[in-house]
């Protein structure tokens, strides 16, 4: 079960990965394989990206509304 903060962070990774900053929730999302870190070519820093599993979670949440 994801907390509301983790769910919100997952949405931010999907919609605005460059603006995510350093959030404690990223560790949990990485552990659960909902996001991954990819090396950004333009700035050289790792950038979070949503995985297929993370996208599935967000799709399931959108069906609940």
């Amino acid at each position: 079960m994801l907390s509301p903060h983790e769910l919100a962070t997952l949405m931010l990774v999907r919609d605005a990965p460059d603006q995510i900053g350093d959030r404690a929730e990223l560790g949990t999302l990485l552990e659960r394989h909902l996001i991954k870190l990819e090396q950004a070519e333009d700035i050289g820093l790792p950038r979070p990206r949503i995985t297929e599993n993370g996208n599935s979670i967000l799709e399931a949440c959108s069906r609940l509304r």
Side-chain angles (χ1 to χ4, degrees):
M1 183 72 121
L2 294 176
S3 74
H5 290 277
E6 292 162 346
L7 203 56
T9 301
L10 189 59
M11 285 187 258
L12 279 173
V13 170
R14 180 192 62 194
D15 297 334
D18 294 331
Q19 299 175 9
I20 196 72
D22 186 26
R23 294 177 174 254
E25 295 84 9
L26 289 175
T28 301
L29 298 176
L30 279 167
E31 288 174 10
R32 295 181 182 200
H33 304 285
L34 301 177
I35 65 169
K36 61 183 175 181
L37 294 178
E38 291 182 348
Q39 199 65 24
E41 294 178 17
D42 53 345
I43 56 174
L45 298 173
R47 181 181 297 170
R49 293 284 183 219
I50 193 166
T51 64
E52 188 175 322
N53 289 340
N55 197 44
S56 295
I57 295 286
L58 293 179
E59 286 178 3
C61 289
S62 70
R63 287 191 298 264
L64 293 173
R65 299 189 319 180

